[in-house]
Amino acid sequence: MTLKQLRYITVVADTGNITDAARKLYIAQPSLTASIQEIEKEYNITIFNRSKKGIELTREGEEFLGYARQVLEQANLIEERYSGTVTGKHRFSVSSQHYSFVVEAFVELLRKAGGDKYEFHMRETETYDIIRDVAMLRSEIGVLYLNKFNETVINKTLRDNNLTFTSLARVKPHVFIGRKSPLAGKKSLSLEDLKPYPRLSYEQGSHNSFYFSEEILSTADSDKEIIVRDRATLFNMLIGMNGYTICSGIISKELNGPNIIAKPLNVNDYMEIGYILPKAIHPSTLTLDYIDILTRKLKMGNDNDLEVKH
């Protein structure tokens, strides 16, 4: 196996088409196909499924691609360190629940380390997909929370995928509401206060277990439920429907605007916000820088009952 073969595989995966990949790599299509098949034979795996519609990664191909990207990134760093030339794009990926401080940290890292060429991915996605992204090395790091309700199931899932969880901060639950909500005048809120209003939560796809819910107290009864897929829709619903969502309370006025506010929720619970990493792989320099920025953003993001761990 050579670095050139690993680059071939990443380009084919990115283009989704052997012909386009061969053209981009300035190589004959039969030679490209033969090179990939040589690796598949060497390691007794199938990286791509091939059909008339094109090619797509298999499950073991996704795993192989994740390792290939790690190797190529390290090779690029060596090249830059000792030759002074940039040989490729800086690449970095984050998978996270819907936290504005995660996006803020991502933007700061991009401004600091992106350089002239980069490919950065910010995936706000379902909880189980965060775990799978990091396990399959589609993302270098994932951000999610644990609490006394979900920690047994989430920790088992992390162990099964050979991942570690490191706490960044423990926060008390808050409620996001619109600034003009009937509840906006209260200093703090109870579950009884919330009952008349629509509860908003993020869709969790095929792994729609309460244990994978992004919102704590997901088993509490609610007569009015609105399920969304993205943060912009959720915030529009908070304002337009006088809805609410239970959250960390860490809010960015720069990203979320002035019309969303956070109120403390009077419950005996917590959210342990942290990051997940592959157990067997040492974090890259970009990942370590990102963790430092995350920690700083958390310290800046909320002055109320926030215990930052780093």
Side-chain angles (χ1 to χ4, degrees):
M1 182 176 65
T2 65
L3 289 175
K4 182 179 288 187
Q5 286 175 308
L6 295 183
R7 290 192 180 96
Y8 288 171
I9 289 170
T10 60
V11 172
V12 171
D14 291 340
T15 59
N17 185 288
I18 285 282
T19 302
D20 292 343
R23 188 179 302 116
K24 190 172 183 179
L25 290 164
Y26 302 103
I27 184 176
Q29 184 175 327
S31 298
L32 177 57
T33 300
S35 181
I36 294 171
Q37 289 176 340
E38 184 179 329
I39 287 187
E40 291 179 319
K41 183 178 180 181
E42 180 178 354
Y43 293 105
N44 193 29
I45 61 173
T46 301
I47 299 173
F48 296 106
N49 281 327
R50 300 159 177 84
S51 68
K52 292 181 179 179
K53 295 181 179 179
I55 62 171
E56 60 180 14
L57 282 165
T58 63
R59 176 60 66 90
E60 58 187 352
E62 289 179 348
E63 183 177 11
F64 186 90
L65 179 65
Y67 285 110
R69 291 196 192 281
Q70 291 277 331
V71 171
L72 290 172
E73 180 67 23
Q74 294 300 315
N76 287 338
L77 289 174
I78 292 172
E79 184 72 21
E80 291 174 29
R81 172 67 179 84
Y82 292 103
S83 72
T85 59
V86 177
T87 58
K89 294 180 178 179
H90 287 148
R91 299 179 186 272
F92 184 72
S93 300
V94 179
S95 292
S96 175
Q97 293 173 333
H98 298 75
Y99 301 127
S100 58
F101 73 89
V102 171
V103 179
E104 283 188 295
F106 181 86
V107 171
E108 183 170 326
L109 180 72
L110 181 54
R111 287 172 175 168
K112 174 185 174 183
D116 294 329
K117 296 181 180 180
Y118 58 79
E119 182 180 318
F120 277 39
H121 293 253
M122 177 69 246
R123 300 184 177 101
E124 287 189 325
T125 188
E126 298 159 8
T127 301
Y128 187 81
D129 285 345
I130 296 168
I131 296 171
R132 292 301 300 162
D133 282 351
V134 179
M136 303 299 292
L137 303 179
R138 286 190 291 264
S139 289
E140 281 84 354
I141 186 171
V143 182
L144 46 75
Y145 83 94
L146 302 180
N147 73 341
K148 57 188 176 183
F149 175 74
N150 73 3
E151 63 182 355
T152 300
V153 171
I154 297 293
N155 278 328
K156 181 182 184 305
T157 308
L158 294 176
R159 287 194 302 271
D160 290 346
N161 285 277
N162 204 28
L163 303 175
T164 62
F165 175 87
T166 302
S167 176
L168 284 167
R170 177 175 287 202
V171 299
K172 290 188 175 180
H174 284 65
V175 180
F176 278 169
I177 55 175
R179 184 172 292 280
K180 296 182 179 180
S181 166
L183 299 172
K186 292 180 173 288
K187 289 185 177 180
S188 62
L189 299 172
S190 67
L191 292 176
E192 192 66 26
D193 292 329
L194 300 176
K195 276 191 174 181
Y197 302 97
R199 179 171 69 188
L200 286 110
S201 57
Y202 288 106
E203 183 178 321
Q204 294 299 323
S206 58
H207 290 86
N208 195 27
S209 161
F210 290 126
Y211 298 108
F212 289 97
S213 174
E214 188 166 330
E215 302 78 26
I216 69 167
L217 303 170
S218 57
T219 57
D221 287 336
S222 176
D223 293 334
K224 302 173 183 178
E225 296 270 4
I226 301 175
I227 314 298
V228 301
R229 291 189 63 88
D230 65 85
R231 187 147 41 97
T233 302
L234 184 138
F235 284 171
N236 286 336
M237 292 288 182
L238 291 184
I239 297 169
M241 299 297 296
N242 283 329
Y244 72 90
T245 189
I246 300 174
C247 61
S248 67
I250 304 170
I251 191 167
S252 166
K253 291 182 180 179
E254 183 178 345
L255 289 179
N256 300 334
N259 294 320
I260 303 297
I261 58 176
K263 296 287 181 177
L265 181 62
N266 297 325
V267 292
N268 182 23
D269 209 334
Y270 63 89
M271 296 177 69
E272 193 88 30
I273 299 174
Y275 58 87
I276 61 174
L277 295 172
K279 189 178 295 184
I281 297 176
H282 189 273
S284 67
T285 301
L286 283 177
T287 303
L288 293 174
D289 286 346
Y290 185 68
I291 291 169
D292 287 341
I293 298 170
L294 275 179
T295 304
R296 178 161 44 80
K297 291 295 181 183
L298 275 168
K299 288 179 179 178
M300 295 168 55
N302 188 354
D303 296 325
N304 187 8
D305 298 318
L306 177 64
E307 179 190 344
V308 177
K309 299 298 182 73
H310 291 262

